[in-house]
Amino acid sequence: MKDKPITLIIYGSGGHKEQMKRLVAMMQSHADFYFVSISDTDDHFNSLKHFRCPEPRGKFSIWKAPFQLANNAITTAIQCLSILKNYRVKGLVSTGPGMVVLPAIIFKLLGKKVIFLESWSRFYTPSLTGKIMYRIADTFYIQNETLQSTYPKAIFSGRL
């Protein structure tokens, strides 16, 4: 299995996980789709290998946030290096959250395809992760047409 091309999927808990669950189901129904995953949850959708990372930021404590962000960055960087060493990665797909930024930069610098889907819960304002990923991603999807003016080069995909 390690000689087949795989996709790295990165997602967070809650709505990010639900969106990725739907996306993976769609991708698996159309072709041979092999993937490894990184998430702050234990749910891995039968990936070849799942890496659990710490939550990227403290949503309820500004004092913990810098430490959690640094811990997440170090952890995901190490996980990405392990994935790149052990798998033939063709690209990265993410539904967010912010834990995707560092892996996306790493993969983009290595010439891998980076795809990002802005959250379906965003109608009028972009997410912080979306603002960053819009500049990094090769392909950027929005799920609500009202964001087209915010992300003029984005592709409207409809809701997952």
Side-chain angles (χ1 to χ4, degrees):
M1 204 51 75
K2 293 189 182 206
D3 59 328
K4 293 188 183 276
I6 62 106
T7 301
L8 170 61
I9 64 169
I10 300 178
Y11 55 95
S13 58
H16 300 291
K17 181 178 85 171
E18 183 59 34
Q19 290 170 80
M20 185 58 75
K21 181 179 177 182
R22 293 177 186 194
L23 182 61
V24 165
M26 287 171 35
M27 293 171 86
Q28 286 176 324
S29 70
H30 291 292
D32 289 337
F33 176 68
Y34 303 102
F35 64 97
V36 295
S37 56
I38 296 177
S39 179
D40 59 357
T41 73
D42 289 325
D43 196 352
H44 56 83
F45 314 127
N46 295 317
S47 62
L48 297 174
K49 175 83 174 161
H50 180 68
F51 294 87
R52 191 166 197 295
C53 68
E55 189 164 324
R57 66 182 169 101
K59 295 177 184 170
F60 305 109
S61 171
I62 61 168
W63 304 109
K64 288 182 181 179
F67 300 105
Q68 283 180 279
L69 188 59
N71 184 29
N72 178 272
I74 291 166
T75 302
T76 56
I78 291 168
Q79 290 168 340
C80 285
L81 293 174
S82 174
I83 291 166
L84 287 164
K85 178 183 171 202
N86 293 305
Y87 296 94
R88 200 171 65 154
V89 182
K90 59 184 176 184
L92 176 155
V93 176
S94 180
T95 54
M99 72 177 76
V100 69
V101 174
L102 183 60
I105 292 169
I106 291 169
F107 278 68
K108 182 79 172 182
L109 290 172
L110 294 172
K112 307 294 183 186
K113 184 99 170 155
V114 175
I115 299 171
F116 184 78
L117 288 84
E118 177 66 289
S119 176
W120 60 20
S121 66
R122 294 297 178 156
F123 288 87
Y124 304 106
T125 58
S127 66
L128 177 58
T129 304
K131 288 179 188 178
I132 296 167
M133 291 302 296
Y134 184 67
R135 300 184 187 291
I136 298 170
D138 295 296
T139 308
F140 189 94
Y141 291 96
I142 54 173
Q143 298 182 62
N144 293 300
E145 279 185 293
T146 52
L147 285 175
Q148 198 72 66
S149 61
T150 303
Y151 300 121
K153 296 178 190 167
I155 300 166
F156 173 65
S157 64
R159 294 186 44 132
L160 285 171

